Amino acid sequence: MSKFIFITGGVVSSLGKGIIASSVGRLLRNRGLSIFMQKLDPYINVDPGTLSPYQHGEVYVTDDGAETDLDLGHYERFTNQSLTKLSNITSGRIYQNVIKKEREGKYLGKTVQVIPHITNEIKEHIKKAAKNSGADVIITEIGGTVGDIESLPFLEAIRQIRRELGEENTLFIHTVLLPFLPSSGEMKTKPAQHSVKELGSLGIQPDFIVLRSEKNINKDIRDKISLFCDVNIEHVFVCKDVEIIYEVVLELAKQKLDEQICSHFKLETAPLDLSNWELLIKNIKNLKQQVNIALVGKYVSLHDAYLSVSEAIKAAGYKLGIKTNIIWINSEDVNEGNVFGMLKDADGIVVPGGFGQRGTEGKIVTLKYARENNIPLLGICLGMQLMAVEFARNVLNLKDANTIEFDENTSNPVIHLLPNQYKGIDLGGTLRLGAYELELKETSKVFKYYKRFPLSERHRHRYEFNNEYISSFINNGMQITGINPKIKLVEVIELDNHPFYVGCQFHPEFKSRPNHAHPFFLSLVESAFKFKK
Ligand code: GLN
């Protein structure tokens, strides 16, 4: 039977609960335990797919095509384990399931209520993750902050699970912020105490507490929390801000969090071996070289909107011993007149994915500049589609070339919709979502970095390269180096006679890990470094 860890947060949001949950996952894996991670989001949206990146940052896509919360990206990067649709559920989805059952008459005329119907649905979801994964430990993060109205059914559900399965099989970890007051030079524990009290009023007494703060926390403060919150002192952990998020794993290991978890569950495991993680941190701290990579997108004011992309760029640098400085450039600010100035410090450029026309003309200007000036560039999804548009307009001389996402009536739809090719494919609405096979030509600049075959990459888009243009692209120097072998769709384009001008229809960033950099980003950063030299 699986053991269950529930991670809640108190005092404020954006505490880094996701990173703590991910670190717990990494620690347990390095003790030889199998794990499965999930995030329960209390908001009413059915999934984060339709949320603006300004709201919750990027939408992370799993192999099986779930559009999920960005915390799942942390989970996968920290634990190097691919998650599934069972890894993320929202209140909206829970209610949708319950209302569907009610309409189908499944509740046999009963009054449908939050307790037990909504809470049962939540519990079922948690237990299904355990059943399907068969993992030793299920780590479930509850989104939001204790005290939010929306979180109540989730907290009630985990309270019931503790009742059903007992203390030995369940563990509550509550993470709280300890604010520092500069005027009195003090760390304040009162908000944390109140948050634990609030949790207690819902029937949950945390087993462990993780204190988040910007500064070191001394023993007196830990003692105080232990006393006032009724948690053993060896179960009060400290997680202060660190420069490299992956270091949280080592910090928590030093405080024996994994040991305490195993002893709570009475789990016998191999001793903790963190050598792979220590090596990663050592590499990150010893980056000898530097490159500047410009990230040209429309949501750059919120870095979380491109979290996986920026982590993938950094991971490539970790592997190559290069510190990657990301220059965040709002594509809406770029035009023909200023592009040289704006990109003068860039050794390489990434044009990431996106939806909608806003900011795309600046991306096209950026692409032309990189193509003509031999600057290494990686275009992802919409970035790749715009590479095709720019190439068609300026090299093939098809002045009105466009994607039909922005001009339905263009006479040169180089990016279009293929209704017939979607037959038999589950599109999850109308988007192509999740992992699809990739056949990459050996001539691709990226090929050498792929170690395992066959290849599969994750998608999240609606429009496709129009195969009618393949021959004129190839004849004019834009090669098609990657295709989907089953449905013959263009997956990768790259320019001849350019150090690195590569576009991919999929999102390589979702498969990058800090200690397994992704081939597309490795190639970009390597080319950028050569360009710099
Ligand atoms: N908007 C484009 C499409 O739907 C690209 C999507 C993306 O970049 N993820 O095809």
Side-chain angles (χ1 to χ4, degrees), residues 353-356 380-382 385 405 431 460-463 507:
F355 290 81
I380 298 170
C381 209
L382 182 63
Q385 297 175 352
E405 182 177 1
L431 286 178
R460 181 174 181 246
H461 60 101
R462 187 169 288 126
Y463 301 92
H507 289 272

Side-chain angles (χ1 to χ4, degrees), residues 43 45 48 50-58 70 299 302 304-305:
Y43 49 73
N45 305 62
T50 51
L51 278 172
S52 155
Y54 286 127
Q55 296 276 307
H56 286 264
E58 75 176 5
L70 98 177
Y299 298 114
L302 181 74
D304 271 358

Side-chain angles (χ1 to χ4, degrees), residues 61 351-357 363 380-385 403 405-406 415-417 422 430-432 459-464 504-507 509-510:
V61 181
V351 179
F355 290 81
Q357 189 158 17
K363 290 183 182 172
I380 298 170
C381 209
L382 182 63
M384 174 267 198
Q385 297 175 352
T403 156
E405 182 177 1
F406 308 143
I415 304 295
H416 70 162
L417 275 179
Y422 284 164
T430 58
L431 286 178
R432 185 147 76 101
H459 290 251
R460 181 174 181 246
H461 60 101
R462 187 169 288 126
Y463 301 92
E464 305 280 355
C504 51
Q505 184 57 77
F506 48 83
H507 289 272
E509 68 272 22
F510 295 143

Side-chain angles (χ1 to χ4, degrees), residues 56-245:
H56 286 264
E58 75 176 5
V59 173
Y60 190 80
V61 181
T62 58
D63 274 333
D64 65 352
E67 295 179 279
T68 71
D69 184 81
L70 98 177
D71 270 321
L72 267 79
H74 287 309
Y75 299 171
E76 288 205 355
R77 283 188 289 275
F78 273 75
T79 66
N80 192 20
Q81 182 174 323
S82 291
L83 298 171
T84 70
K85 290 197 159 107
L86 284 172
S87 300
N88 194 198
I89 198 155
T90 66
S91 288
R93 175 84 69 195
I94 295 282
Y95 274 85
Q96 196 184 46
N97 292 349
V98 169
I99 290 168
K100 185 163 169 278
K101 288 183 188 166
E102 187 273 332
R103 293 288 85 187
E104 290 166 356
K106 297 244 168 83
Y107 297 117
L108 306 174
K110 289 215 175 77
T111 309
V112 180
Q113 295 180 294
V114 173
I115 304 172
H117 301 97
I118 295 294
T119 46
N120 281 352
E121 190 70 28
I122 297 170
K123 288 195 293 182
E124 227 171 81
H125 185 83
I126 297 170
K127 289 178 183 168
K128 199 161 157 198
K131 188 159 168 262
N132 288 16
S133 67
D136 297 323
V137 184
I138 310 300
I139 302 165
T140 303
E141 176 189 349
I142 317 291
T145 308
V146 168
D148 297 345
I149 289 181
E150 292 100 320
S151 319
L152 291 175
F154 290 98
L155 298 171
E156 169 59 15
I158 64 173
R159 184 197 68 76
Q160 291 178 17
I161 293 185
R162 153 72 53 102
R163 231 216 190 277
E164 288 164 26
L165 304 179
E167 197 168 319
E168 200 172 307
N169 296 310
T170 53
L171 175 73
F172 294 127
I173 302 182
H174 191 49
T175 56
V176 286
L177 177 78
L178 291 196
F180 177 74
L181 284 193
S183 54
S184 61
E186 269 182 314
M187 200 81 80
K188 289 300 191 188
T189 64
K190 199 70 85 190
Q193 294 177 39
H194 279 293
S195 171
V196 171
K197 218 184 209 171
E198 175 85 32
L199 202 53
S201 73
L202 302 170
I204 296 175
Q205 166 61 29
D207 302 300
F208 294 7
I209 292 185
V210 179
L211 305 173
R212 285 280 298 112
S213 85
E214 51 178 318
K215 299 211 183 307
N216 272 323
I217 294 173
N218 60 28
K219 174 88 174 20
D220 289 349
I221 302 255
R222 285 180 56 230
D223 281 336
K224 195 166 171 187
I225 290 285
S226 165
L227 182 67
F228 283 89
C229 300
D230 196 22
V231 171
N232 290 344
I233 182 69
E234 67 272 21
H235 294 158
V236 180
F237 302 88
V238 174
C239 182
K240 77 167 171 86
D241 292 357
V242 284
E243 205 183 315
I244 305 162
I245 54 170

Side-chain angles (χ1 to χ4, degrees), residues 471-489:
S471 57
S472 47
F473 268 61
I474 293 177
N475 294 337
N476 287 281
M478 184 72 95
Q479 300 303 323
I480 309 297
T481 52
I483 60 155
N484 177 312
K486 290 221 176 88
I487 33 183
K488 304 295 173 208
L489 294 174

Side-chain angles (χ1 to χ4, degrees), residues 394-506:
N394 299 325
V395 179
L396 307 182
N397 239 331
L398 307 171
K399 289 297 169 211
D400 73 332
N402 214 330
T403 156
I404 63 158
E405 182 177 1
F406 308 143
D407 180 5
E408 261 181 81
N409 302 316
T410 171
S411 50
N412 285 294
V414 287
I415 304 295
H416 70 162
L417 275 179
L418 303 170
N420 295 330
Q421 298 207 19
Y422 284 164
K423 258 191 227 148
I425 304 166
D426 178 12
L427 287 175
T430 58
L431 286 178
R432 185 147 76 101
L433 284 169
Y436 285 82
E437 261 176 76
L438 164 67
E439 195 174 282
L440 193 66
K441 286 206 177 125
E442 283 187 38
T443 51
S444 167
K445 293 189 177 81
V446 177
F447 187 83
K448 66 171 177 177
Y449 279 118
Y450 274 100
K451 297 213 176 65
R452 256 168 276 157
F453 299 88
L455 309 178
S456 116
E457 294 288 352
R458 296 184 194 173
H459 290 251
R460 181 174 181 246
H461 60 101
R462 187 169 288 126
Y463 301 92
E464 305 280 355
F465 188 92
N466 184 342
N467 287 0
E468 277 178 29
Y469 291 86
I470 288 182
S471 57
S472 47
F473 268 61
I474 293 177
N475 294 337
N476 287 281
M478 184 72 95
Q479 300 303 323
I480 309 297
T481 52
I483 60 155
N484 177 312
K486 290 221 176 88
I487 33 183
K488 304 295 173 208
L489 294 174
V490 170
E491 294 281 1
V492 184
I493 60 176
E494 53 191 284
L495 199 61
D496 289 335
N497 303 321
H498 188 290
F500 187 88
Y501 191 77
V502 177
C504 51
Q505 184 57 77
F506 48 83

